[in-house]
Amino acid sequence: MSKMFYLTTPLYYVNAPPHIGHSYTEVAADALARYHRLAGRETFLLTGTDEHGQKIAQAAADAGKAPQAFVDEVGERFKALWAILNISHDDFIRTSEPRHVTAVQQLLTRLKDAGKLTRAEYQGWYCTPDETFWTEAELITHGISTSAPVCPTCQRSLEPAKEEGWYLKLRANQEWLRGFVRAHPDFVRPQTRYNELLGWLAQPLPEYLCITRPKARVSWGIQVPFAPDHVVYVWFDALLNYITAPGYVSDPARFASLWPAEVHLVGKDILRHHALYWPIMLHELGLPDAQMPKIFAHGWWRIGEQKMSKSLGNIVDPAAVVGGLLKGQPFAADAYRYFLLREIPFGQDGSFSEEAILKRLNMDLGNDVGNLVNRTLSMTERYFGGQLPFQPIGQLNVIGGARAMADAAIALQASYAQRMESLDFSGALEGVMGLATQANQFIETSAPWKLAKQPEARAQLTQVFAALGDGLKALSVYLTPVMPSVGAAIWTQLGLPGRPRRLEDAAWSVSAGERRIAAEHPVLFPRMEAVA
Ligand code: MSP
């Protein structure tokens, strides 16, 4: 089996239903997976849910439910949302599944037997929401007073705690990790996050990471096979999913066809776990440097200018956006996906508002794409009886702009591919929208409604529509990773069979002869009134 393009999302905590932040990582991962499939690569997208730990046990207790019943229920909300958003994952792993639990236990035992774990007892402080144990020395490194200590990550107050358990060596691996990171400038993207990682590595790391929790404090977790009173620390358990799902323990051949991950997509808040702990875990398990994954850490959505939080009551439910705000839109899920990836450059923070979504819908999608498709196809009906004309590209007129139109559609392929490969979704979409704008301008300057009135201009009119046909087909291909249903709808409206399957589909002339466009070409993006 040849190596597949393997990419992952974080495993979402099922302590509460999914929100826009979760859907952001997921939609980005899906668009990237669809792009790589379109580019002809065997691709594997892994997603799932993180179901253990104190936070989830607490949420289950608050809901008056047993933890397993609770995570089953909330987990379904994630699956249902991914169905609404048309996520094409190849596997969905839940950390409470036996395939994961047994693999984690085996890996722990392997580490212990190899002498990689240390048993010890530490006096320190615990952050319950973050499930993180801090020693006094670490708090001091972060400039935090130990008389009324707060969590260095989330600033909430800490509880005194004595942590007895099993520890993974961090400091002892720091030199290795620093060397690895320096030698692999693409280990973490974007550059700002890579620099952040270098900054962390310039300071001494904590000596150890405690990877077990006493059951007295946290009972909802994976049983540590060699310590009856302990469960596995939730992050240690969850990170391992990236290798348990592809079969590191159970199916080495399958694992070899997937690992290492080409990219772990994560939010910037969980970079530390992915860029410090995870490579050290893999290194301790004995994976060589060439088997280290790569990471991309994206930015965060604010709601207007506020942080999204339960206490502010401003949590955005993507299902409500798609089924409520965008109700009546034939391609509501695609419009939502487009908004997420177009609105802010991937890697930066941004602000979510209903106005901003409707603006993108009416302007980019309605005015530019929808209008272009609609007018081109209506005029094809009117002037050509629905037969979209064909001209080999070499015979398209230079004068009049037909050749330039078709060339632009083809030329976009290189920059589009380069941007998608580097996860520059907003840049890629900007280029695609540029093509739509160019096509609309081409219609204005060539004024088919005038040409249609002049019998001697028939050849020129044919040229214009042959070039527009190429432009629309390219548009449908390039839109497909981010807007799969819209890409397929444009393709079908053009009268093409199936749906866009290959990036190269953008670069051939619409048909070897005339093509009958679809009899029906309903409006793709009906205009919506701005929210009051
Ligand atoms: N369970 C851990 C991940 C374990 S991975 C082995 C976790 N889960 S989470 O549900 O809290 O977050 C999952 C993802 O959602 C993260 O990538 C996080 O960055 C993203 N987002 C959560 N809120 C967000 C925003 N407001 N904006 C953008 N993404 C954010 O962390």
Side-chain angles (χ1 to χ4, degrees), residues 253-450:
R254 181 158 175 272
F255 183 71
S257 73
L258 288 165
W259 192 257
E262 254 68 32
V263 57
H264 292 313
L265 276 157
V266 298
K268 64 180 184 179
D269 53 315
I270 52 175
L271 179 64
R272 196 179 168 86
H273 306 82
H274 284 81
L276 289 179
Y277 306 157
W278 181 225
I280 289 178
M281 284 164 66
L282 291 167
H283 183 66
E284 289 287 61
L285 280 167
L287 276 87
D289 288 10
Q291 295 270 303
M292 291 296 146
K294 294 194 184 79
I295 299 159
F296 192 107
H298 65 67
W300 265 47
W301 286 93
R302 291 180 306 274
I303 307 304
E305 287 316 311
Q306 287 178 321
K307 195 170 174 213
M308 181 166 56
S309 79
K310 229 190 216 165
S311 52
L312 288 172
N314 62 356
I315 293 191
V316 178
D317 170 7
V321 175
V322 171
L325 178 70
L326 299 177
K327 196 166 178 222
Q329 284 293 323
F331 298 102
D334 275 17
Y336 177 75
R337 291 168 59 112
Y338 173 80
F339 170 78
L340 289 183
L341 297 183
R342 175 66 188 93
E343 188 71 3
I344 51 176
F346 203 57
Q348 293 179 23
D349 293 346
S351 155
F352 176 92
S353 70
E354 296 193 340
E355 293 77 22
I357 292 202
L358 293 188
K359 195 167 165 215
R360 289 280 174 202
L361 180 93
N362 285 333
M363 308 287 288
D364 302 17
L365 299 180
N367 286 356
D368 295 349
V369 177
N371 195 22
L372 170 68
V373 174
N374 203 270
R375 65 207 289 223
T376 304
L377 297 184
S378 307
M379 288 190 282
T380 305
E381 286 295 355
R382 206 171 315 138
Y383 307 141
F384 297 94
Q387 296 290 127
L388 190 60
F390 167 72
Q391 293 280 309
I393 192 156
Q395 287 171 30
L396 285 174
N397 280 343
V398 173
I399 298 165
R403 179 65 194 262
M405 178 70 246
D407 280 348
I410 293 166
L412 186 58
Q413 192 171 318
S415 67
Y416 174 80
Q418 186 268 324
R419 286 169 175 169
M420 288 299 285
E421 311 253 340
S422 53
L423 286 79
D424 175 10
F425 302 110
S426 63
L429 289 171
E430 196 181 355
V432 177
M433 289 301 146
L435 181 67
T437 305
Q438 184 177 347
N440 277 316
Q441 280 165 358
F442 174 56
I443 294 179
E444 293 308 316
T445 53
S446 54
W449 44 91
K450 286 189 193 151

Side-chain angles (χ1 to χ4, degrees), residues 67-146:
Q68 188 68 55
F70 180 76
V71 298
D72 288 350
E73 217 175 281
V74 183
E76 283 308 313
R77 301 274 303 263
F78 280 83
K79 284 191 175 160
L81 180 62
W82 302 158
I84 292 172
L85 294 180
N86 210 350
I87 303 301
S88 60
H89 51 270
D90 298 284
D91 193 3
F92 188 106
I93 187 158
R94 302 178 52 182
T95 56
S96 66
E97 279 176 80
R99 63 167 168 156
H100 177 72
V101 171
T102 47
V104 169
Q105 289 175 327
Q106 286 181 36
L107 292 174
L108 259 184
T109 305
R110 221 183 262 184
L111 283 173
K112 175 173 170 281
D113 292 350
K116 302 283 187 186
L117 302 181
T118 310
R119 188 181 162 77
E121 184 172 291
Y122 270 79
Q123 196 90 30
W125 300 89
Y126 194 74
C127 174
T128 308
D130 271 357
E131 307 206 17
T132 310
F133 180 83
W134 297 92
T135 60
E136 292 214 349
E138 283 163 32
L139 292 178
I140 291 164
T141 335
H142 283 87
I144 285 170
S145 137
T146 47

